[in-house]
Amino acid sequence: MSQRAKETFTTAPAPTPAALRARIRGLGASMTRSAQIVAEAVAADPAGCSRLTVTALAERTGTSEATVVRTARLLGYPGYRDLRLALAALAGRQESDEAPAVTAGIAVDDPLADVVAKLAHEEAQTLADTAAALDLAQLSAAVDALATARRIDIYGVGASALVGQDLAQKLLRIGLIAHAHHDPHLAVTNSVLLRPGDVAVAVTHSGATGDVIDPLRHAFERGATTIAVTGGPASPVTHYADLVLATSAARESRLRPAAMSSRTSQLLVVDCLFVGVAQRTYDTAAPALAASYEALAPRHRATAPRTARQEPRT
Amino acid sequence: MSQRAKETFTTAPAPTPAALRARIRGLGASMTRSAQIVAEAVAADPAGCSRLTVTALAERTGTSEATVVRTARLLGYPGYRDLRLALAALAGRQESDEAPAVTAGIAVDDPLADVVAKLAHEEAQTLADTAAALDLAQLSAAVDALATARRIDIYGVGASALVGQDLAQKLLRIGLIAHAHHDPHLAVTNSVLLRPGDVAVAVTHSGATGDVIDPLRHAFERGATTIAVTGGPASPVTHYADLVLATSAARESRLRPAAMSSRTSQLLVVDCLFVGVAQRTYDTAAPALAASYEALAPRHRATAPRTARQEPRT
DNA sequence: ACCGGCCCCGAAAATAGCTTTCAAAGGTGA
DNA sequence: TCACCTTTGAAAGCTATTTTCGGGGCCGGT
């Protein structure tokens, strides 16, 4: 057997994914001069190098393609192609680790890209907070109450009205009798009709919105089961709530007082309620969902109109 | 201009790193059959596919090299090589994120704690996907249009109606003239009044909701700037949209067909629009926000009623 | 100091993989 | 049914990677 079949000396057995850095350090001085240069360049900027071709990397390091390939082999990969792939993976990993770089608040002069990143990050944070803070016992009791309710009234005004409507829409779709009221007068008018076995839900971030508290109080006094979805666990609304579901009370900055985190948080709670109820009433919920889906189908256009695309007018 | 220079139709401008998942979901049904097969294989096993050559992937999916390359282009990369790199990066990232523990869908018999965790995780995922996939150029243009609009009409029905209302509420609070219409007839009636300088926004997850497309078309034909917030970047609604803001089109499982991920995604887009507009019009937006906040104060009860807490009836 | 041997290195040939072209097959609307 | 457009795979064309090959430097021996 020849002592060097065709310059294929697999120095290391492992084409490892991310142990790359260690490997480079490990081999360190045992590499030839130009191999070191290449390895160093790779270690210094994996992401950047992953975007280069052999030729480009050779040029950048002032070496030749052959040397680059040899270095890749030294590092344990079958060839440069695979080193490049590993480099990309490494870059992806790093990127995900350093993601929460944008924790701060949003400023007036942030570029749009930052705004998007910050908003997404903050809302994700809010979701995590809310999930962690949710009282499962209360949630479970709320699900029970909703699942067996004769009738469900939901109160919310302003931004919370939308959350209430979302809940009502969802519950309706699985066959429950749910109404969302955002008109305070109508809410009160309806609330006095409730009785034991009914459920009233109040959605209010501050927990101090009179227009929502009033109908809830009436429902409470008439014996309905009352649920408060609020960011203020000790706020006025909780006085008339049998069950309190806490939403995250993230501070709202100057540029987003109009309910962002709070809305996200409330919606998560609503979703939890909905899924919980849907699970508990699966036998009736599933067909109801299917039916409403079918009923909607004809309102969707299957394909784009065949006419040529109309150009935006000049 | 030739209609097809050399089969180089860069469907999407962004060769983004991690927006891949979102992109695949988004294009979804708008791809050709074999492209779907390839995309699906890629989405199902990014790490594995990143190790395959064009030929190998073509064979695995039962298609041809050409199709694989075309799919890579569809997903926004210059070619397969780059897709492969991105895949590797994605794999690396995933590996580092590794233990979301509760990745799977929600089952009928999941305990409530799991439901909460899964929902929160999925919605957070959706947020990340959406943020990654958002086209900043389109967003920026949309912000400009909104900020300078004479009048803004927003169309959405069903779950998307709530998103539309949310946007309208926010824009109103910073002094813009915005209306959300969820009644298809009224929407059409209003849309024919729009003219250049006005903005129409359509919110629809599927992008195929006739009740929303109709008013948007009218607005488009009358010269208003039209914006589509949709999960289907190639869906019918985009035919009449000057600007398209893509939302994540995560699959909705049996227990949550009623718009959860899609709603979260849409709301993030709405928030981005709002913050963007608020930034651009800060001088007028800030006082308007303050004023609306003041005006609301009296409707909040500062403290709990002094009466003793009423016990739940026995 | 000179010479021979060995290894390192880069230029260029060889090859594998990626991209493009082209024509046929499969639909779709008139 | 026919014409047209879309989609698809086979094969040609090209780029990037890998291998080969020979020049040149370093070291020990003479």
Side-chain angles (χ1 to χ4, degrees):
Chain A
M1 193 189 300
S2 71
Q3 78 285 20
R4 200 222 274 191
K6 45 171 188 167
E7 202 172 331
T8 301
F9 45 98
T10 44
T11 308
T16 343
L20 217 201
R21 270 227 155 78
R23 168 86 42 83
I24 292 179
R25 298 265 155 64
L27 293 185
S30 75
M31 289 186 292
T32 67
R33 188 168 40 81
S34 26
Q36 272 186 40
I37 298 176
V38 175
E40 202 169 312
V42 160
D45 180 17
C49 291
S50 77
R51 269 177 248 117
L52 300 171
T53 68
V54 228
T55 316
L57 182 53
E59 190 172 348
R60 172 189 282 203
T61 57
T63 63
S64 68
E65 289 108 327
T67 301
V68 172
V69 172
R70 277 190 278 257
T71 308
R73 293 254 167 72
L74 260 190
L75 295 175
Y77 300 92
Y80 177 68
R81 206 188 305 277
D82 303 80
L83 169 63
R84 209 175 152 183
L85 245 22
L87 245 32
L90 194 68
R93 160 181 288 242
Q94 276 184 212
E95 183 182 331
S96 102
D97 284 351
E98 70 190 24
V102 287
T103 352
I106 293 167
V108 193
D109 55 353
D110 274 351
L112 216 42
D114 285 10
V115 169
V116 174
K118 285 182 181 175
L119 280 176
H121 183 259
E122 270 192 36
E123 300 203 2
Q125 196 63 48
T126 303
L127 285 172
D129 289 352
T130 306
L134 250 190
D135 184 327
L136 287 175
Q138 300 269 308
L139 179 64
S140 178
V143 167
D144 281 337
L146 287 173
T148 59
R150 189 183 64 96
R151 160 182 174 164
I152 300 163
D153 266 27
I154 303 168
Y155 314 120
V157 297
S160 299
L162 302 177
V163 177
Q165 286 178 42
D166 192 73
L167 178 58
Q169 278 191 4
K170 287 190 166 73
L171 294 179
L172 277 171
R173 287 184 82 164
I174 54 175
L176 299 185
I177 316 291
H179 299 281
H181 304 285
H182 63 273
D183 179 316
H185 288 207
L186 294 180
V188 169
T189 315
N190 277 275
S191 65
V192 298
L193 299 177
L194 298 184
R195 54 179 210 237
D198 295 336
V199 172
V201 181
V203 183
T204 161
H205 175 59
S206 69
T209 312
D211 292 332
V212 168
I213 298 176
D214 288 340
L216 194 76
R217 192 185 69 237
H218 285 119
F220 183 77
E221 287 167 353
R222 302 200 164 255
T225 303
T226 55
I227 302 173
V229 177
T230 180
S235 61
V237 73
T238 60
H239 284 246
Y240 310 109
D242 296 311
L243 301 168
V244 177
L245 299 175
T247 56
S248 164
R251 66 285 142 187
E252 311 257 335
S253 87
R254 267 210 281 179
L255 269 181
R256 51 188 160 81
M260 278 183 190
S261 296
S262 65
R263 180 208 58 200
T264 302
S265 184
Q266 290 171 345
L267 285 172
L268 177 63
V269 172
V270 159
D271 287 349
C272 291
L273 283 173
F274 167 70
V275 173
V277 172
Q279 282 182 328
R280 197 142 322 183
T281 64
Y282 190 71
D283 290 342
T284 57
L289 281 174
S292 73
Y293 184 79
E294 292 300 327
L296 236 41
R299 302 198 77 82
H300 286 165
R301 293 179 185 162
T303 59
R306 280 290 158 187
T307 57
R309 165 151 195 184
Q310 189 168 353
E311 284 301 311
R313 52 258 158 277
T314 51
Chain B
M1 194 189 301
S2 73
Q3 75 285 20
R4 200 220 271 192
K6 47 170 187 169
E7 201 171 330
T8 302
F9 43 97
T10 46
T11 309
T16 343
L20 217 201
R21 270 232 154 73
R23 171 84 43 82
I24 292 179
R25 298 251 167 69
L27 291 185
S30 75
M31 290 187 290
T32 66
R33 188 167 40 81
S34 24
Q36 271 185 42
I37 297 175
V38 176
E40 202 168 312
V42 161
D45 181 17
C49 291
S50 77
R51 269 178 248 118
L52 271 47
T53 68
V54 228
T55 315
L57 182 54
E59 189 171 350
R60 173 190 280 204
T61 57
T63 63
S64 67
E65 288 108 327
T67 301
V68 172
V69 172
R70 275 191 280 257
T71 307
R73 292 256 165 72
L74 258 191
L75 296 174
Y77 301 92
Y80 177 69
R81 205 188 306 273
D82 303 81
L83 169 63
R84 213 175 147 183
L85 245 22
L87 244 34
L90 193 69
R93 160 181 287 241
Q94 270 185 210
E95 185 181 327
S96 121
D97 286 351
E98 51 182 293
V102 285
T103 349
I106 294 167
V108 193
D109 55 353
D110 274 349
L112 215 43
D114 284 9
V115 170
V116 175
K118 284 182 182 176
L119 281 176
H121 180 260
E122 269 193 37
E123 299 204 1
Q125 195 65 48
T126 303
L127 285 172
D129 286 353
T130 306
L134 248 190
D135 184 326
L136 287 175
Q138 301 267 308
L139 178 65
S140 177
V143 167
D144 281 336
L146 288 174
T148 60
R150 190 182 64 96
R151 161 183 174 165
I152 301 163
D153 266 30
I154 303 167
Y155 314 120
V157 297
S160 300
L162 302 177
V163 176
Q165 286 178 43
D166 192 73
L167 178 58
Q169 279 190 5
K170 287 190 167 74
L171 294 179
L172 277 171
R173 287 184 81 165
I174 55 176
L176 300 183
I177 317 291
H179 299 282
H181 305 284
H182 62 273
D183 178 316
H185 289 207
L186 294 180
V188 169
T189 314
N190 277 276
S191 66
V192 297
L193 299 177
L194 297 184
R195 54 179 209 236
D198 295 338
V199 172
V201 182
V203 183
T204 161
H205 173 59
S206 69
T209 313
D211 292 333
V212 168
I213 297 175
D214 288 341
L216 194 76
R217 193 185 67 237
H218 286 119
F220 183 77
E221 287 166 355
R222 301 197 167 258
T225 302
T226 54
I227 302 173
V229 178
T230 180
S235 60
V237 73
T238 60
H239 283 246
Y240 310 110
D242 296 311
L243 301 168
V244 177
L245 300 176
T247 57
S248 165
R251 69 284 143 184
E252 312 256 336
S253 87
R254 267 211 280 181
L255 269 181
R256 52 190 157 80
M260 277 183 191
S261 295
S262 66
R263 180 208 59 200
T264 302
S265 183
Q266 290 171 346
L267 285 172
L268 176 63
V269 172
V270 160
D271 287 351
C272 291
L273 283 173
F274 167 70
V275 173
V277 172
Q279 282 183 328
R280 198 142 320 186
T281 63
Y282 190 71
D283 290 342
T284 57
L289 280 174
S292 74
Y293 186 79
E294 292 301 326
L296 237 40
R299 302 198 76 84
H300 287 161
R301 292 180 185 160
T303 58
R306 284 286 162 187
T307 58
R309 167 152 192 181
Q310 190 169 351
E311 284 301 311
R313 53 258 158 274
T314 51

